[in-house]
């Protein structure tokens, strides 16, 4: 499928009343598509997608279009959003420990490549903290330096209906681990179950 058809199909999945904080809607997307401004239309659809949950097929179409346009950063973001639809989403305010307090000496990559473990308040049968894996995306910046703070998006690997991730509530504190030691502390902002059916 060509880029124009992919972007048109994705835009048809957006409710007409959905608008960005700058009041941009799918109508503007159609104007850019009519002018063959595909990259601008793609960026606007990504921005509209941040307003509220959209179906997996929306993000799959955008990921394919971004790949065909060779926009690797956009393609990675849209694939991440596909994962969120499949696995659910936990957003949190993460503060990493400083280089002197943890083993990490280099900035944490922000674009979804790291899959750290998280203590989300559960225990194993022998009373030890149960650690759960989630992919991590840092919002708005490419790297998070030791001691830094940012909003992050977590895509849990265990996202079943009974997953302990869905017991998290805003304000709850969880800890990030890259080994047995605590690498960072995060305050949960929201926890959203998967929207796509397996």
């Amino acid at each position: 499928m060509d880029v124009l058809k992919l972007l048109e199909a994705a835009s048809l999945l957006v409710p007409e009343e959905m608008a960005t904080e700058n009041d941009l809607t799918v109508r503007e997307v159609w104007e850019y598509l009519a002018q063959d401004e595909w990259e601008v239309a793609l960026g606007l659809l990504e921005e509209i997608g941040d307003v509220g949950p959209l179906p997996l097929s929306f993000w799959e179409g955008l990921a394919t279009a971004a790949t065909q346009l060779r926009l690797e950063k956009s393609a990675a973001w849209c694939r991440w959003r596909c994962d969120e639809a499949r696995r659910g989403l936990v957003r949190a305010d993460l503060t990493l420990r400083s280089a002197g307090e943890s083993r990490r000496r280099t900035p944490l990559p922000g674009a979804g490549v790291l899959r750290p473990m998280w203590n989300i308040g559960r225990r194993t049968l022998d009373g030890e903290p149960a650690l759960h894996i989630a992919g991590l995306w840092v919002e708005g910046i490419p790297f998070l330096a030791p001691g830094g703070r940012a909003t992050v998006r977590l895509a849990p690997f265990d996202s079943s209906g009974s997953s302990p991730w869905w017991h998290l509530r805003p304000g709850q504190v969880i800890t990030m681990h890259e080994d047995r030691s605590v690498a960072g502390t995060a305050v949960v902002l929201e926890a959203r179950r998967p929207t796509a059916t397996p």
Side-chain angles (χ1 to χ4, degrees):
M1 189 178 280
D2 70 19
V3 172
L4 179 59
K5 285 186 170 45
L6 287 163
L7 295 175
E8 286 175 345
S11 65
L12 290 172
L13 297 171
V14 178
E16 272 191 53
E17 67 278 0
M18 190 177 273
T20 68
E21 61 184 38
N22 298 326
D23 290 328
L24 298 172
T25 67
V26 73
R27 288 188 198 107
E28 282 80 17
V29 172
W30 283 97
E31 289 174 20
Y32 286 116
L33 290 175
Q35 298 167 24
D36 290 334
E37 294 283 348
W38 299 343
E39 191 173 333
V40 176
L42 172 67
L44 184 53
L45 284 168
E46 288 177 23
E47 195 176 330
I48 291 171
D50 288 338
V51 174
L54 287 167
L56 174 61
S57 56
F58 171 84
W59 292 108
E60 288 174 332
L62 292 189
T64 304
T67 300
Q68 289 183 14
L69 289 169
R70 294 190 171 101
L71 301 171
E72 290 309 313
K73 195 173 179 182
S74 284
W77 173 241
C78 294
R79 284 191 298 272
W80 177 268
R81 296 301 299 265
C82 289
D83 276 351
E84 286 183 359
R86 289 184 195 103
R87 295 182 184 171
L89 161 70
V90 174
R91 288 182 72 238
D93 182 15
L94 172 65
T95 303
L96 290 181
R97 287 194 163 176
S98 68
E101 296 176 306
S102 72
R103 297 182 70 168
R104 177 168 285 281
R105 302 285 184 259
T106 59
L108 182 141
V113 297
L114 191 66
R115 279 138 178 71
M117 298 171 289
W118 296 87
N119 178 346
I120 59 175
R122 299 295 172 155
R123 297 268 177 200
T124 63
L125 293 175
D126 59 356
E128 294 295 315
L131 299 179
H132 302 272
I133 299 172
L136 182 140
W137 189 287
V138 181
E139 291 185 358
I141 54 176
F143 297 97
L144 182 60
R149 180 179 171 189
T151 300
V152 296
R153 302 171 82 94
L154 309 177
F157 277 27
D158 171 17
S159 57
S160 64
S162 61
S163 171
W165 289 95
W166 311 132
H167 298 286
L168 294 176
R169 297 292 173 253
Q172 191 169 343
V173 177
I174 60 177
T175 56
M176 183 180 105
H177 299 258
E178 293 186 88
D179 56 24
R180 289 187 173 270
S181 62
V182 174
T185 303
V187 178
V188 174
L189 302 173
E190 70 175 300
R192 191 182 319 149
R193 291 175 182 262
T195 56
T197 53

